[in-house]
Amino acid sequence: MPARLKPLTPEQVLDLPAMPPVKEAFRALNISEGTGYGLIRDDQFPIQVFEFGRAKRVRKADLVEFLGLSQAAAVEVQSAAATNNGAPGVQPGAPTEQPAPTSK
C-alpha cells in the first residue's frame, strides 16, 4: 500500500500554480490517489478535470472556490493592504490616487 501524502494547508493550496496536477488536488482535498482517480473515472470529481494527453490537471481557481478559500484569500489581501505603511516604496501618508474631476 503506497504511503499517503500529507494534506496541503490552505496556504499551500493558494501557492499552487494556475493548473496543478490532479495529485495536488487530491492532497488539497485530503483523499487518496485511488479515491481521486476513481472519482474522475466515474465523473464524480467535485471540480472539472482537464486532460492534456495523459496529464490530468485542475484549475486552481476551481479548487480554491470548492474549498472555500477564495473568501479567506480576499481577507488576507485586504489585511495586507491595510498594513502596508512600512512597505518598501510606500511613503506613510502618501496621497492616494483620486479620480480626475469632470466638468459638466
Side-chain angles (χ1 to χ4, degrees):
M1 178 180 232
R4 190 169 184 151
L5 295 174
K6 190 173 180 182
L8 296 179
T9 65
E11 293 80 18
Q12 289 171 317
V13 173
L14 294 172
D15 286 340
L16 288 172
M19 294 286 291
V22 291
K23 287 183 181 183
E24 293 300 315
F26 300 161
R27 289 182 61 202
L29 297 169
N30 195 21
I31 60 175
S32 69
E33 286 185 29
T35 298
Y37 283 117
L39 290 169
I40 291 170
R41 182 189 63 242
D42 296 339
D43 201 26
Q44 296 295 314
F45 199 68
I47 56 178
Q48 186 175 4
V49 175
F50 298 87
E51 294 189 28
F52 302 100
R54 293 186 63 183
K56 290 178 175 41
R57 295 186 176 265
V58 296
R59 280 191 294 246
K60 172 183 161 181
D62 294 344
L63 184 59
V64 166
E65 183 178 336
F66 179 79
L67 292 171
L69 297 176
S70 53
Q71 186 66 27
V75 168
E76 189 175 308
V77 168
Q78 285 179 334
S79 174
T83 60
N84 73 354
N85 287 340
V90 176
Q91 295 183 11
T96 58
E97 188 175 323
Q98 299 294 321
T102 58
S103 59
K104 291 186 178 182

